[in-house]
Amino acid sequence: MIHYIPGNLGHILVILAFVSSIVATYAFAKSINDDRHSWARFAKGAFYVHAIAIFGIVITLFVMISGHMFEYHYVYQYTSKLLPVYYQISSFWNGQEGSFLLWMFWNAVLGLILIHTNKSWRASMMAVFTFTQAFLVSMIMGVVIPYLNIKIGSSPFMLLRDVLNDPIFQMQPDFIPEDGKGLNPLLQNYWMVIHPPTLFLGFATTVIPFAYAMAGLITGRLKEWIRPALPWAQFSAAVLGVGILMGAYWAYETLNFGGYWNWDPVENAIYVPWLILVAALHTMIAFKKSNVALKSSIILVLATYILIVYSTFLTRSGVLGNASVHSFTDLGLSGQLLIYLFVFIILSVILAARVWKQIPGSKEETSAYSREFWIFMGATVLCLMGFQVIIPTSIPVWNEIVEAFGGSSNLAPPADQVEFYTQFQLYFAILVALLSGTGQFFWWNKMDKEKLKQELSIPIILSLVLSAVIFMVAEVRDFWYLLLLTASVYSIVANLKIFISVAKSNIKLSGGAVAHIGVAMMLIGVLFSSGYSKILSKNNTGLLWSKEFPDEINQDNLLLFVNEPRQMTDYQMTYRGLRKLTTDHGYVDLNDISDAASPLELIIGRKTISSTGEILEAGDTVQIINAENSYFEVVFENANGKTFTLYPRIQINEQMGNVYSPDINRTLTADLYTHVRTFPDPDQEVQWSEIEEITVSPGSQFFINDYVAKFINIEPLSKLDGITLGPGDIAVKAIIEIQGEFQTYTAEPIYVIKDKMAGRVPDVINDLASRITIQSIQPENNSFVFGLSTTQKDWIIIEAVAKPWINVLWLGTLLLVVGFGIAISRRYTEFQKMRDKGME
């Protein structure tokens, strides 16, 4: 039965959210000059209605997903019954409609906070805020304008039969699929439960400083908007930065390109607004100190939000095509997104141009020994970093524009995007490190030439000494790496000096120093983990693993046969076979599983020991976490005899293709990053050798595939799965122990005589690539004829990479967030004091 109520309710709530956002925008705009506050009360009520509608849409969609209502296209497309609850939650924002809704949800939450935070700015600021929300809601309306045949938005509440043109809906209009297509395998990671909400909270918060800046331009309060906007800008930069780094860590743990940042166009599209926002932060702080850089602050704050909208256009319009693995397919929203983008570009330009001459600026020439000069230099470098990335990233957009006007453009993005972007960003990173170290001294002290020498002498000497030690120990030889390392060490030492001096008086003043130390540590972590990562799995055999692989893969990967140790630099690697991850018993050998009781329940086929050391008997049932996931167990042993085990993952997904994910051994000084490149196709039929017959008596030994086997005994069977034994039927099984490399295996082939006809059930020991069949029984001499067959052993092609000092990157990230937190606390306290005095 089709559940019509949730879909109809969802549609109604979307329309209500859109209408209430328009009404709230108009009412807030009217209340700017409303002395009686009647419009203000109405506007507030309209926004409450809007927020309730947004929350209602979110709840409705969650109910549909958790209720497995596969009659709805969004639920069918992104969920399935097999998904755990946390992945059902992340499927909410897997599609465009859900991610837009997540953005709107954060906007609604933030709007409720803003309404009660600053009454003096409420009307003008909220007029801009709710106007942006109206554009977002329009993205999920799914309304077609009659006669014009124009579709506005794409609704998550569309029935499957209204989206898919499938013959089954003509024959059976109320047809509901038994299950959905499921979540993209790449997104089945715990980081995808927390990364998108964090990232979209960052998106949502960028509108707040934008709204304050626009409100200042509208009302003529050209300077006053800085104070309430600054804490929000800092919060936005912190959250957006954390969201970006969460995405990097997700890529590191899930994708198999061997890193955390690949300069993908979608990554670039988010990275650039963050750079511009950080630049805006610095100019806003400079203005608070000395009333300069106001124009720069306005431009950068407005540009940040416009770049967020532009990044949304890049990722959701389909313009990137195959240039990005992250971009969404085009749902027909590109026209709407362009309108969204151009409306706010035009409004920003008009409002800024209208009052540009009234915006105060400094008439004095800025001295090279002033804090303003160094802040401006830092902001300039950050902006140049952004331009260097966004221009090549926008090449597909340029090509579309040229073709739209009848021209032809052959411009293409960089062939090797990692090398192209890294080269230029490296130069800028050196400048950022130097400026973040030196600029702090100008911030806290009035400087002249002599005092500058005095302040910088000790940090420079210490930095050179420490850098020299690192050069020798880590064997850093590349010239640009030497410069980046020296500059980063200098930034740490200089900011540490500032931190010690300011923390003595007030720890709340140390936010900038802590954040800058974090950035410098991140640069060092990136330098070593990326610039000096080392391939450990070098192929020194001279053999090509596959002609389909490029030379780089053939040279940097090793072929491992199951249970055959192989030396890899300082480690001996042994592939132990495929495993399934259970909820209570760790990993279980896939070969010891006989059947599935249900999609998430497996039946143990023979006695086995799990990775936790628990003994599981034949017939036991175990719960698994994900039916599509299997894991390659690879044991590493170093020269000292210490071992650890990694479980790189393969997700076998018929609809979306197989996905390989890495596993990582983390130590204080380095990560060992391991992922499987390929393995035998599990659907391919096994090719067995011709049967070799051998006559064996109980208690005697024989060889199979070069392994020593011992025929222990023969046991009669009273029942047999799938076969009903009659009074005159006989079934027996042989007990054969085979000594493998690491354990003893038990083979139990079966011989059946039913209705005077012989039947054979062979037993396969996959780890030994062996199959044993009872060919015949010779009772006259108490012996048995076994048929022995062999095949190729299971194998994997694996890559292992050492990433030195990557923990410095993650520790730097933590310090960056702590620094932002300290700064936000300080600025918000200042804002509260001014607001309580009636000055804001």
Side-chain angles (χ1 to χ4, degrees):
M1 181 183 71
I2 294 179
H3 303 84
Y4 288 104
I5 293 177
N8 291 335
L9 177 62
H11 281 297
I12 293 170
L13 289 172
V14 170
I15 299 299
L16 178 62
F18 179 73
V19 172
S20 59
S21 64
I22 295 293
V23 171
T25 300
Y26 180 78
F28 277 122
K30 291 290 288 183
S31 67
I32 293 175
N33 299 312
D34 178 24
D35 296 330
R36 294 178 298 173
H37 304 295
S38 56
W39 278 108
R41 287 190 294 272
F42 181 70
K44 203 172 175 181
F47 188 81
Y48 286 150
V49 171
H50 170 79
I52 291 170
I54 293 293
F55 298 150
I57 298 168
V58 171
I59 293 169
T60 302
L61 188 54
F62 266 126
V63 168
M64 290 165 53
I65 291 171
S66 61
H68 305 304
M69 299 181 189
F70 298 119
E71 61 266 40
Y72 289 97
H73 179 257
Y74 194 88
V75 180
Y76 169 78
Q77 188 73 15
Y78 301 117
T79 70
S80 74
K81 293 178 180 177
L82 298 181
L83 288 177
V85 173
Y86 44 90
Y87 288 154
Q88 289 183 31
I89 293 172
S90 62
S91 67
F92 177 93
W93 42 77
N94 191 27
Q96 288 212 48
E97 300 92 337
S99 57
F100 271 124
L101 185 52
L102 180 60
W103 192 348
M104 286 177 258
F105 168 79
W106 283 126
N107 270 2
V109 172
L110 293 169
L112 292 174
I113 295 171
L114 290 168
I115 280 180
H116 298 281
T117 301
N118 193 346
K119 294 181 181 179
S120 69
W121 284 94
R122 180 193 295 160
S124 54
M125 184 270 297
M126 288 300 296
V128 178
F129 186 93
T130 52
F131 189 46
T132 66
Q133 186 76 333
F135 276 91
L136 285 177
V137 178
S138 72
M139 297 297 169
I140 64 165
M141 287 179 65
V143 173
V144 177
I145 300 177
Y147 307 112
L148 297 178
N149 198 27
I150 296 175
K151 181 184 176 184
I152 302 176
S154 177
S155 173
F157 301 107
M158 296 291 290
L159 288 169
L160 186 61
R161 69 188 183 193
D162 295 333
V163 178
L164 295 184
N165 186 20
D166 195 291
I168 194 169
F169 294 114
Q170 297 176 3
M171 298 180 291
Q172 193 177 341
D174 292 340
F175 170 76
I176 301 175
E178 286 295 321
D179 204 353
K181 294 175 68 174
L183 189 64
N184 186 322
L186 291 174
L187 303 181
Q188 294 188 32
N189 179 279
Y190 62 94
W191 284 108
M192 281 296 108
V193 181
I194 55 177
H195 159 58
T198 306
L199 189 66
F200 279 99
L201 176 58
F203 273 34
T205 52
T206 59
V207 76
I208 300 177
F210 174 81
Y212 273 116
M214 293 284 279
L217 296 176
I218 292 169
T219 61
R221 301 166 72 182
L222 303 176
K223 297 189 296 184
E224 293 83 352
W225 68 272
I226 292 281
R227 190 179 295 278
L230 183 54
W232 283 109
Q234 290 172 321
F235 179 71
S236 180
V239 174
L240 190 58
V242 169
I244 292 170
L245 287 163
M246 281 182 175
Y249 200 83
W250 162 77
Y252 183 59
E253 282 200 339
T254 305
L255 305 182
N256 59 6
F257 67 83
Y260 37 79
W261 195 263
N262 204 36
W263 295 109
D264 182 273
V266 171
E267 295 172 350
N268 298 348
I270 308 304
Y271 170 66
V272 173
W274 183 77
L275 288 175
I276 304 304
L277 178 56
V278 174
L281 274 179
H282 286 79
T283 57
M284 291 167 75
I285 293 171
F287 172 75
K288 280 187 86 284
K289 277 281 186 180
S290 55
N291 290 337
V292 298
L294 179 57
K295 290 182 178 179
S296 301
S297 298
I298 293 172
I299 292 172
L300 293 175
V301 167
L302 299 183
T304 297
Y305 184 70
I306 289 170
L307 283 167
I308 288 289
V309 179
Y310 179 62
S311 74
T312 305
F313 168 75
L314 281 178
T315 56
R316 298 167 187 272
S317 64
V319 69
L320 292 177
N322 297 323
S324 172
V325 298
H326 299 292
S327 60
F328 291 93
T329 55
D330 185 14
L331 294 181
L333 302 179
S334 53
Q336 266 182 266
L337 289 167
L338 275 177
I339 294 171
Y340 185 8
L341 177 63
F342 281 114
V343 163
F344 285 100
I345 290 176
I346 292 169
L347 278 177
S348 299
V349 171
I350 290 175
L351 289 175
R354 184 174 63 93
V355 297
W356 192 253
K357 292 182 179 179
Q358 303 171 29
I359 299 174
S362 176
K363 297 180 180 179
E364 298 179 4
E365 185 176 345
T366 303
S367 168
Y369 293 99
S370 67
R371 63 170 69 93
E372 294 77 17
F373 173 82
W374 288 90
I375 286 179
F376 180 77
M377 290 292 292
T380 301
V381 171
L382 290 170
C383 290
L384 290 174
M385 291 177 77
F387 292 148
Q388 189 273 323
V389 172
I390 200 64
I391 292 173
T393 302
S394 300
I395 286 176
V397 178
W398 171 255
N399 291 339
E400 291 284 339
I401 294 172
V402 172
E403 291 174 8
F405 286 94
S408 177
S409 175
N410 296 321
L411 285 177
D416 188 343
Q417 57 191 20
V418 174
E419 181 179 357
F420 174 80
Y421 289 112
T422 301
Q423 177 185 357
F424 289 99
Q425 293 295 299
L426 172 62
Y427 305 150
F428 289 124
I430 294 169
L431 293 177
V432 166
L434 291 172
L435 290 169
S436 65
T438 306
Q440 283 284 76
F441 291 101
F442 290 91
W443 182 254
W444 294 105
N445 302 289
K446 290 185 176 181
M447 286 288 174
D448 54 32
K449 188 174 182 180
E450 292 303 319
K451 191 165 186 180
L452 181 61
K453 287 181 181 180
Q454 181 182 346
E455 290 287 343
L456 294 182
S457 57
I458 294 177
I460 289 175
I461 292 170
L462 278 176
S463 301
L464 291 174
V465 171
L466 289 173
S467 298
V469 172
I470 297 173
F471 295 161
M472 291 185 290
V473 173
E475 299 182 356
V476 180
R477 298 291 181 266
D478 183 271
F479 173 74
W480 291 106
Y481 289 175
L482 290 171
L483 284 183
L484 178 59
L485 181 59
T486 305
S488 299
V489 171
Y490 164 70
S491 181
I492 292 173
V493 173
N495 279 284
L496 192 58
K497 185 175 186 293
I498 293 294
F499 172 79
I500 293 171
S501 63
V502 299
K504 290 178 182 177
S505 58
N506 186 354
I507 192 69
K508 287 189 175 183
L509 300 175
S510 64
V514 174
H516 289 157
I517 291 172
V519 170
M521 291 181 67
M522 290 172 67
L523 293 176
I524 293 174
V526 170
L527 167 63
F528 281 106
S529 62
S530 296
Y532 286 93
S533 62
K534 181 182 179 183
I535 303 291
L536 301 181
S537 53
K538 283 290 185 182
N539 174 17
N540 298 317
T541 65
L543 301 174
L544 297 180
W545 305 134
S546 173
K547 293 181 180 179
E548 298 178 359
F549 291 158
D551 291 341
E552 182 182 355
I553 292 178
N554 278 307
Q555 293 167 6
D556 294 342
N557 293 259
L558 283 178
L559 173 65
L560 298 182
F561 286 101
V562 68
N563 288 333
E564 294 186 8
R566 187 166 195 140
Q567 194 66 32
M568 177 192 75
T569 60
D570 298 331
Y571 296 96
Q572 181 177 272
M573 262 193 316
T574 307
Y575 170 47
R576 300 297 299 272
L578 268 176
R579 306 290 186 254
K580 282 290 185 180
L581 180 59
T582 67
T583 56
D584 300 317
H585 310 287
Y587 295 91
V588 174
D589 193 334
L590 188 60
N591 296 323
D592 295 333
I593 295 170
S594 64
D595 203 357
S598 71
L600 295 177
E601 286 185 327
L602 301 178
I603 300 173
I604 300 298
R606 69 173 88 214
K607 185 176 180 180
T608 188
I609 301 176
S610 70
S611 63
T612 59
E614 297 174 78
I615 297 175
L616 300 173
E617 301 289 345
D620 287 349
T621 301
V622 294
Q623 304 284 330
I624 60 173
I625 295 173
N626 190 307
E628 297 174 334
N629 290 345
S630 296
Y631 299 83
F632 305 94
E633 181 178 337
V634 184
V635 179
F636 293 79
E637 182 177 354
N638 64 18
N640 298 323
K642 292 184 178 180
T643 63
F644 59 88
T645 304
L646 294 179
Y647 294 92
R649 187 185 74 179
I650 169 71
Q651 185 167 78
I652 300 173
N653 189 299
E654 294 180 0
Q655 294 178 323
M656 301 181 184
N658 296 344
V659 174
Y660 295 91
S661 295
D663 197 11
I664 303 164
N665 181 60
R666 296 172 174 85
T667 63
L668 181 63
T669 57
D671 280 3
L672 179 61
Y673 178 97
T674 306
H675 69 93
V676 170
R677 186 72 61 179
T678 188
F679 79 119
D681 185 354
D683 296 327
Q684 187 175 351
E685 185 178 352
V686 178
Q687 300 295 319
W688 291 99
S689 66
E690 291 186 4
I691 294 177
E692 174 192 354
E693 292 190 348
I694 183 172
T695 303
V696 185
S697 299
S700 59
Q701 293 183 339
F702 61 96
F703 288 92
I704 177 169
N705 204 13
D706 295 330
Y707 295 101
V708 177
K710 184 176 182 179
F711 180 17
I712 303 299
N713 202 355
I714 197 81
E715 292 183 2
L717 298 174
S718 58
K719 58 181 180 179
L720 200 60
D721 290 342
I723 300 177
T724 302
L725 297 176
D729 299 335
I730 298 173
V732 296
K733 70 176 178 180
I735 309 298
I736 302 168
E737 291 183 354
I738 309 171
Q739 186 62 50
E741 290 93 341
F742 299 99
Q743 69 181 79
T744 299
Y745 297 85
T746 301
E748 298 180 347
I750 297 172
Y751 189 82
V752 183
I753 298 177
K754 180 175 174 57
D755 300 329
K756 299 182 179 181
M757 298 183 65
R760 302 169 182 85
V761 181
D763 198 3
V764 177
I765 306 298
N766 289 281
D767 286 356
L768 308 181
S770 302
R771 182 178 66 182
I772 303 178
T773 308
I774 301 177
Q775 295 292 98
S776 63
I777 302 175
Q778 299 178 347
E780 65 276 6
N781 54 11
N782 192 30
S783 62
F784 294 78
V785 178
F786 293 145
L788 311 180
S789 301
T790 61
T791 187
Q792 186 182 60
K793 275 190 167 186
D794 284 345
W795 53 268
I796 57 173
I797 293 177
I798 192 169
E799 182 177 58
V801 184
K803 294 192 168 293
W805 299 112
I806 193 169
N807 287 329
V808 177
L809 167 60
W810 309 129
L811 180 59
T813 302
L814 179 61
L815 285 178
L816 176 64
V817 174
V818 170
F820 268 121
I822 295 170
I824 293 166
S825 173
R826 175 193 170 195
R827 297 298 175 185
Y828 188 69
T829 301
E830 291 177 356
F831 162 71
Q832 282 183 313
K833 289 178 180 178
M834 298 298 288
R835 182 193 61 190
D836 294 342
K837 292 178 181 178
M839 299 177 67
E840 291 292 347

mmCIF file of all heavy atoms in Angstrom, residues 312-333:
data_model
loop_
_atom_site.group_PDB
_atom_site.id
_atom_site.type_symbol
_atom_site.label_atom_id
_atom_site.label_comp_id
_atom_site.label_asym_id
_atom_site.label_seq_id
_atom_site.Cartn_x
_atom_site.Cartn_y
_atom_site.Cartn_z
ATOM 1 N N THR A 312 28.299 25.779 -4.919
ATOM 2 C CA THR A 312 27.075 24.992 -5.027
ATOM 3 C C THR A 312 26.690 24.800 -6.483
ATOM 4 O O THR A 312 26.302 23.703 -6.902
ATOM 5 C CB THR A 312 25.924 25.694 -4.272
ATOM 6 O OG1 THR A 312 26.334 25.938 -2.922
ATOM 7 C CG2 THR A 312 24.674 24.843 -4.274
ATOM 8 N N PHE A 313 26.830 25.860 -7.270
ATOM 9 C CA PHE A 313 26.557 25.751 -8.708
ATOM 10 C C PHE A 313 27.516 24.762 -9.367
ATOM 11 O O PHE A 313 27.100 23.915 -10.175
ATOM 12 C CB PHE A 313 26.692 27.133 -9.363
ATOM 13 C CG PHE A 313 26.707 27.085 -10.869
ATOM 14 C CD1 PHE A 313 25.541 26.871 -11.577
ATOM 15 C CD2 PHE A 313 27.895 27.247 -11.572
ATOM 16 C CE1 PHE A 313 25.551 26.807 -12.972
ATOM 17 C CE2 PHE A 313 27.920 27.194 -12.951
ATOM 18 C CZ PHE A 313 26.744 26.970 -13.663
ATOM 19 N N LEU A 314 28.795 24.837 -9.025
ATOM 20 C CA LEU A 314 29.778 23.939 -9.632
ATOM 21 C C LEU A 314 29.450 22.476 -9.354
ATOM 22 O O LEU A 314 29.530 21.624 -10.248
ATOM 23 C CB LEU A 314 31.184 24.244 -9.101
ATOM 24 C CG LEU A 314 31.929 25.445 -9.680
ATOM 25 C CD1 LEU A 314 33.276 25.604 -8.985
ATOM 26 C CD2 LEU A 314 32.136 25.284 -11.183
ATOM 27 N N THR A 315 29.097 22.177 -8.114
ATOM 28 C CA THR A 315 28.922 20.778 -7.719
ATOM 29 C C THR A 315 27.562 20.210 -8.092
ATOM 30 O O THR A 315 27.418 18.993 -8.197
ATOM 31 C CB THR A 315 29.113 20.624 -6.201
ATOM 32 O OG1 THR A 315 28.217 21.499 -5.513
ATOM 33 C CG2 THR A 315 30.529 20.975 -5.797
ATOM 34 N N ARG A 316 26.562 21.067 -8.309
ATOM 35 C CA ARG A 316 25.197 20.563 -8.490
ATOM 36 C C ARG A 316 24.599 20.831 -9.866
ATOM 37 O O ARG A 316 23.507 20.356 -10.165
ATOM 38 C CB ARG A 316 24.274 21.168 -7.428
ATOM 39 C CG ARG A 316 24.668 20.785 -6.021
ATOM 40 C CD ARG A 316 23.941 21.631 -4.992
ATOM 41 N NE ARG A 316 24.423 21.376 -3.654
ATOM 42 C CZ ARG A 316 23.953 20.436 -2.851
ATOM 43 N NH1 ARG A 316 22.970 19.674 -3.246
ATOM 44 N NH2 ARG A 316 24.464 20.259 -1.649
ATOM 45 N N SER A 317 25.300 21.576 -10.696
ATOM 46 C CA SER A 317 24.742 21.916 -12.003
ATOM 47 C C SER A 317 25.088 20.891 -13.066
ATOM 48 O O SER A 317 24.530 20.918 -14.163
ATOM 49 C CB SER A 317 25.257 23.291 -12.440
ATOM 50 O OG SER A 317 26.668 23.250 -12.630
ATOM 51 N N GLY A 318 26.036 19.994 -12.769
ATOM 52 C CA GLY A 318 26.495 19.041 -13.768
ATOM 53 C C GLY A 318 27.564 19.601 -14.676
ATOM 54 O O GLY A 318 28.042 18.915 -15.580
ATOM 55 N N VAL A 319 27.976 20.869 -14.456
ATOM 56 C CA VAL A 319 28.948 21.504 -15.339
ATOM 57 C C VAL A 319 30.317 20.843 -15.241
ATOM 58 O O VAL A 319 31.091 20.848 -16.202
ATOM 59 C CB VAL A 319 29.055 23.017 -15.030
ATOM 60 C CG1 VAL A 319 29.718 23.254 -13.672
ATOM 61 C CG2 VAL A 319 29.817 23.757 -16.124
ATOM 62 N N LEU A 320 30.625 20.249 -14.084
ATOM 63 C CA LEU A 320 31.932 19.597 -13.936
ATOM 64 C C LEU A 320 31.995 18.274 -14.679
ATOM 65 O O LEU A 320 33.086 17.772 -14.963
ATOM 66 C CB LEU A 320 32.235 19.363 -12.450
ATOM 67 C CG LEU A 320 32.485 20.619 -11.613
ATOM 68 C CD1 LEU A 320 32.701 20.240 -10.164
ATOM 69 C CD2 LEU A 320 33.676 21.410 -12.138
ATOM 70 N N GLY A 321 30.821 17.701 -14.992
ATOM 71 C CA GLY A 321 30.800 16.447 -15.739
ATOM 72 C C GLY A 321 31.622 15.375 -15.066
ATOM 73 O O GLY A 321 31.418 15.040 -13.897
ATOM 74 N N ASN A 322 32.591 14.852 -15.814
ATOM 75 C CA ASN A 322 33.463 13.794 -15.284
ATOM 76 C C ASN A 322 34.718 14.343 -14.637
ATOM 77 O O ASN A 322 35.642 13.591 -14.325
ATOM 78 C CB ASN A 322 33.846 12.828 -16.413
ATOM 79 C CG ASN A 322 32.645 12.109 -16.976
ATOM 80 O OD1 ASN A 322 31.729 11.761 -16.244
ATOM 81 N ND2 ASN A 322 32.635 11.907 -18.291
ATOM 82 N N ALA A 323 34.783 15.677 -14.464
ATOM 83 C CA ALA A 323 35.997 16.275 -13.896
ATOM 84 C C ALA A 323 36.114 16.017 -12.400
ATOM 85 O O ALA A 323 37.180 16.187 -11.828
ATOM 86 C CB ALA A 323 36.013 17.784 -14.161
ATOM 87 N N SER A 324 35.024 15.604 -11.751
ATOM 88 C CA SER A 324 35.047 15.394 -10.306
ATOM 89 C C SER A 324 34.329 14.106 -9.943
ATOM 90 O O SER A 324 33.292 13.775 -10.518
ATOM 91 C CB SER A 324 34.378 16.563 -9.582
ATOM 92 O OG SER A 324 34.229 16.274 -8.207
ATOM 93 N N VAL A 325 34.885 13.381 -8.958
ATOM 94 C CA VAL A 325 34.216 12.172 -8.470
ATOM 95 C C VAL A 325 33.143 12.519 -7.448
ATOM 96 O O VAL A 325 32.358 11.673 -7.047
ATOM 97 C CB VAL A 325 35.232 11.200 -7.833
ATOM 98 C CG1 VAL A 325 36.244 10.742 -8.841
ATOM 99 C CG2 VAL A 325 35.931 11.839 -6.631
ATOM 100 N N HIS A 326 33.100 13.778 -7.014
ATOM 101 C CA HIS A 326 32.189 14.178 -5.939
ATOM 102 C C HIS A 326 30.938 14.875 -6.441
ATOM 103 O O HIS A 326 29.981 15.024 -5.693
ATOM 104 C CB HIS A 326 32.887 15.137 -4.970
ATOM 105 C CG HIS A 326 34.091 14.550 -4.297
ATOM 106 N ND1 HIS A 326 33.997 13.535 -3.376
ATOM 107 C CD2 HIS A 326 35.398 14.834 -4.415
ATOM 108 C CE1 HIS A 326 35.209 13.221 -2.950
ATOM 109 N NE2 HIS A 326 36.073 13.995 -3.558
ATOM 110 N N SER A 327 30.936 15.374 -7.677
ATOM 111 C CA SER A 327 29.853 16.242 -8.112
ATOM 112 C C SER A 327 28.556 15.464 -8.288
ATOM 113 O O SER A 327 28.544 14.285 -8.623
ATOM 114 C CB SER A 327 30.214 16.929 -9.439
ATOM 115 O OG SER A 327 30.440 15.969 -10.452
ATOM 116 N N PHE A 328 27.429 16.175 -8.070
ATOM 117 C CA PHE A 328 26.120 15.595 -8.267
ATOM 118 C C PHE A 328 25.764 15.634 -9.749
ATOM 119 O O PHE A 328 26.289 16.442 -10.509
ATOM 120 C CB PHE A 328 25.055 16.398 -7.502
ATOM 121 C CG PHE A 328 25.140 16.275 -6.006
ATOM 122 C CD1 PHE A 328 25.854 17.192 -5.259
ATOM 123 C CD2 PHE A 328 24.495 15.250 -5.353
ATOM 124 C CE1 PHE A 328 25.922 17.097 -3.884
ATOM 125 C CE2 PHE A 328 24.544 15.137 -3.972
ATOM 126 C CZ PHE A 328 25.254 16.060 -3.242
ATOM 127 N N THR A 329 24.837 14.756 -10.148
ATOM 128 C CA THR A 329 24.307 14.851 -11.500
ATOM 129 C C THR A 329 23.324 16.028 -11.560
ATOM 130 O O THR A 329 22.776 16.442 -10.541
ATOM 131 C CB THR A 329 23.572 13.557 -11.894
ATOM 132 O OG1 THR A 329 22.564 13.274 -10.908
ATOM 133 C CG2 THR A 329 24.550 12.389 -11.965
ATOM 134 N N ASP A 330 23.114 16.536 -12.762
ATOM 135 C CA ASP A 330 22.238 17.694 -12.920
ATOM 136 C C ASP A 330 20.783 17.256 -12.816
ATOM 137 O O ASP A 330 20.319 16.387 -13.552
ATOM 138 C CB ASP A 330 22.493 18.342 -14.292
ATOM 139 C CG ASP A 330 21.695 19.622 -14.481
ATOM 140 O OD1 ASP A 330 21.161 20.130 -13.474
ATOM 141 O OD2 ASP A 330 21.612 20.114 -15.624
ATOM 142 N N LEU A 331 20.051 17.854 -11.877
ATOM 143 C CA LEU A 331 18.624 17.574 -11.714
ATOM 144 C C LEU A 331 17.780 18.675 -12.344
ATOM 145 O O LEU A 331 16.610 18.838 -12.002
ATOM 146 C CB LEU A 331 18.280 17.449 -10.220
ATOM 147 C CG LEU A 331 18.898 16.266 -9.472
ATOM 148 C CD1 LEU A 331 18.439 16.272 -8.023
ATOM 149 C CD2 LEU A 331 18.536 14.950 -10.125
ATOM 150 N N GLY A 332 18.392 19.425 -13.251
ATOM 151 C CA GLY A 332 17.668 20.531 -13.870
ATOM 152 C C GLY A 332 17.666 21.789 -13.037
ATOM 153 O O GLY A 332 16.833 22.682 -13.244
ATOM 154 N N LEU A 333 18.608 21.883 -12.069
ATOM 155 C CA LEU A 333 18.651 23.034 -11.165
ATOM 156 C C LEU A 333 19.675 24.075 -11.590
ATOM 157 O O LEU A 333 19.820 25.089 -10.909
ATOM 158 C CB LEU A 333 18.985 22.557 -9.739
ATOM 159 C CG LEU A 333 18.042 21.540 -9.105
ATOM 160 C CD1 LEU A 333 18.531 21.156 -7.717
ATOM 161 C CD2 LEU A 333 16.629 22.086 -9.035
#
